[in-house]
Amino acid sequence: MPYVIIYTDGGASPNPGTGGWAAVLYSPVHKAKREIYGSELNTTNNRMEITAAIKALEALKTPCDVDLYTDSAYLQNTFAKKWIYNWKKNGWKNTSGAVLNRDLWEKLLELTKIHNVTWHHVKGHADNELNNRCDELVHKAREELS
């Protein structure tokens, strides 16, 4: 399978409020980089973080091996710690009640059946060039919507 590195980011300001999501997709074999981004009104940070991962995986034309980097511990832990499988098994409930953003989690779960995704957490707003680029694109997306 082709190999792709993806960085994602999302945010809303205020939270909830105007949101943006972004992803940078990089193919080491082809030395090709693609940037995608978008925005929504009346959304949350978490919805935008999840949306960024969905849009990035949807942008892949064939099944891929993916290393996906996010500064959202919530997004990364949902898969790395297998929370999502327990939520599904428990009727989309967690210890707090109904799982928020179920629509997005279900879509993302389906995409992880197509692509072999390894989830990684990176420190946000630090010295990671591609994470910082995603953050810039999130702000650009929000500004273009305003």
Side-chain angles (χ1 to χ4, degrees):
M1 285 200 298
Y3 172 64
V4 179
I5 298 167
I6 297 174
Y7 279 78
T8 64
D9 195 17
S13 183
N15 186 31
T18 303
W21 60 266
V24 176
L25 297 82
Y26 177 71
S27 168
V29 171
H30 299 102
K31 305 283 189 241
K33 183 169 73 168
R34 180 175 174 207
E35 298 178 343
I36 59 175
Y37 63 93
S39 55
E40 292 181 19
L41 292 171
N42 304 315
T43 191
T44 65
N45 289 336
N46 284 339
R47 285 192 71 81
M48 291 294 89
E49 294 280 6
I50 302 164
T51 297
I54 289 169
K55 297 295 188 179
L57 294 174
E58 286 178 341
L60 301 174
K61 294 178 174 65
T62 60
C64 294
D65 283 323
V66 176
D67 277 315
L68 194 147
Y69 295 83
T70 175
D71 61 12
S72 168
Y74 180 54
L75 175 58
Q76 190 261 344
N77 285 337
T78 295
F79 285 92
K81 294 186 176 185
K82 304 190 184 317
W83 296 344
I84 196 163
Y85 305 105
N86 289 330
W87 296 343
K88 185 177 178 187
K89 184 177 71 178
N90 294 327
W92 292 97
K93 290 186 174 53
N94 59 26
T95 55
S96 302
V99 172
L100 297 177
N101 306 311
R102 175 180 171 176
D103 58 329
L104 298 178
W105 289 123
E106 287 180 317
K107 187 181 286 189
L108 188 52
L109 184 59
E110 287 305 309
L111 289 165
T112 64
K113 293 177 183 175
I114 297 169
H115 306 288
N116 179 28
V117 181
T118 303
W119 299 87
H120 305 276
H121 183 258
V122 295
K123 184 176 180 181
H125 312 285
D127 60 353
N128 186 298
E129 177 186 348
L130 294 179
N131 178 258
N132 288 339
R133 179 60 182 151
C134 284
D135 186 58
E136 290 170 6
L137 291 170
V138 165
H139 290 285
K140 180 179 180 178
R142 291 182 56 250
E143 288 170 9
E144 288 178 3
L145 187 61
S146 299

